[in-house]
Amino acid sequence: MITGIMIGGKEYPMSFSVGAQKAIIKEFGGLENLMNILMDQQDERSADAMIKSVAILTAQGCAYKNYFEKDLPTPQNAPVVDGKWVPPTEEEIEVGMPYGKDTMLDIAACIGGGSKQQIEAEIKNDKEKNQEATQG
């Protein structure tokens, strides 16, 4: 499944493929470790993990587009150079991507295979359940 993320005014494809999973295991020790780091959102480590995970997912998304959708028309704001989808560099991600909830939802939607709205609803339900458990 291909999802998208806006970086610097361009819509980049993201894919949670086998290649992405391998890279996440190598970089973070696994998906659970990555998600724990991202959920912290309080330090430089979390910001770095967000940048690296978006770099991994967009590289896989662009590779997918180049292998399997190269003959399809591309949107006007697509990061395509000389007919090839080009993933953003980590520096481009750092400069052109907002840090916060929407980016986290984009990453979670890509990895979880759901929509931002589905992921947002799941997070809200988990928070409500945790609040009820601590109050009751």
Side-chain angles (χ1 to χ4, degrees):
M1 178 173 156
I2 301 293
T3 61
I5 189 167
M6 289 295 290
I7 302 170
K10 295 186 187 245
E11 178 81 19
Y12 287 87
M14 294 195 305
S15 174
F16 184 60
S17 62
V18 171
Q21 175 71 344
K22 284 174 58 177
I24 287 169
I25 290 168
K26 184 178 180 180
E27 184 71 37
F28 303 103
L31 188 56
E32 187 174 339
N33 289 341
L34 169 61
M35 296 313 284
N36 288 336
I37 294 167
L38 289 174
M39 291 304 186
D40 186 23
Q41 292 188 8
Q42 300 298 318
D43 60 15
E44 187 177 342
R45 184 173 172 228
S46 176
D48 287 343
M50 185 177 289
I51 292 165
K52 287 185 184 304
S53 61
V54 169
I56 290 167
L57 297 171
T58 55
Q60 290 294 300
C62 288
Y64 181 90
K65 293 279 193 179
N66 289 330
Y67 280 115
F68 303 111
E69 296 183 5
K70 60 185 167 200
D71 297 330
L72 298 179
T74 57
Q76 192 168 2
N77 65 343
V80 175
V81 177
D82 295 328
K84 289 213 171 250
W85 288 80
V86 180
T89 64
E90 286 186 17
E91 185 176 2
E92 289 170 326
I93 294 167
E94 187 173 326
V95 172
M97 185 182 72
Y99 182 77
K101 180 178 139 192
D102 284 343
T103 301
M104 292 290 296
L105 292 173
D106 286 334
I107 294 168
C110 178
I111 291 172
S115 71
K116 278 183 167 183
Q117 291 78 16
Q118 287 173 320
I119 302 296
E120 215 166 17
E122 288 174 22
I123 291 170
K124 182 180 177 186
N125 287 341
D126 285 347
K127 284 182 182 176
E128 288 172 358
K129 286 178 187 175
N130 288 340
Q131 286 175 347
E132 288 173 9
T134 58
Q135 292 174 357

